Amino acid sequence: MKTIWLHENKWEDIEAYLEKKKTIIVPFGSVEQHSKHLPLGTDSFVAKKVAEDAGRLTNTLVAPQSWFGWAPHHMAYPGTVTLRPETLTAVVEDICQSLIYHGFEKIILINGHREANLPPIKIAATRLRNKTGAFLPIVDPFYFNSEIGKALRRSEPGGIGHAEEMESSHMFHLYPELCEPAEVAINIPEKHRFLQHDPFIEGDRVLSSSDVNSYREDTKGIGIMGDAMGASSSTGEQYHKKFLENLMELIDFCERDVTVNLRNREIPL
Ligand SMILES: [Zn+2]
């Protein structure tokens, strides 16, 4: 293959790739407000870069990232674009079903939008797994990198949420030209310990949804939930390095230990 990007190759390159390897990485993100210091495309940019770097390190094909996700609460700020969850589920299903039709057996889904995108993507992955036998692990940075996240964070409990320390550090490292570090902010509202929306602290175990009608006020008219004051590109660099190590381990596991017998290989109609 010419590059690791699916869309930059010719069909013959893909045919040759499939003779040796059946794994592909598919990144998903979101276009939504990310406070005053990060661009709207943050979640998609992160998913794209993580997928691209892991693809290069392991010689694994990467499908072009899907930009849009499910982000109704972020509609409180201009520029946000949200899909309906059913649309996102359908997009994931159709992309993966097309890949499975061609013989891809292991499809690593990178979700840059974290908690909000997970239900629609999980529905698609579960349907495809049961229908086709394909293996479709979902990689979400919040959960996938919890160890390094806990080790690197400097903020208080409640500091990890949206456009906060970890996400900002990652972006400062990957796309400094798109960020405004001078605009970082903090917003840690008083909440019950079960409802912090901070996956790196103990006790935050209840899921509750945000309301678009109060979201602008809830995020102080800035768009942040958590604390980005301690964000730095050096933290982002360590976080990215560990993210890639974890991803390489997962890709290696898919290659060596996961056996798939595809069935029901159908074109999405
Ligand atoms: Zn984000």
Side-chain angles (χ1 to χ4, degrees), residues 32 34 42-43 112-114 162-163 167:
E32 65 185 41
H34 266 79
T42 289
D43 296 351
H113 184 30
R114 308 194 287 193
H162 178 73
E167 191 170 37

Side-chain angles (χ1 to χ4, degrees), residues 81-92:
V81 174
T82 186
L83 301 178
R84 280 167 290 153
E86 296 83 0
T87 309
L88 179 56
T89 298
V91 168
V92 176

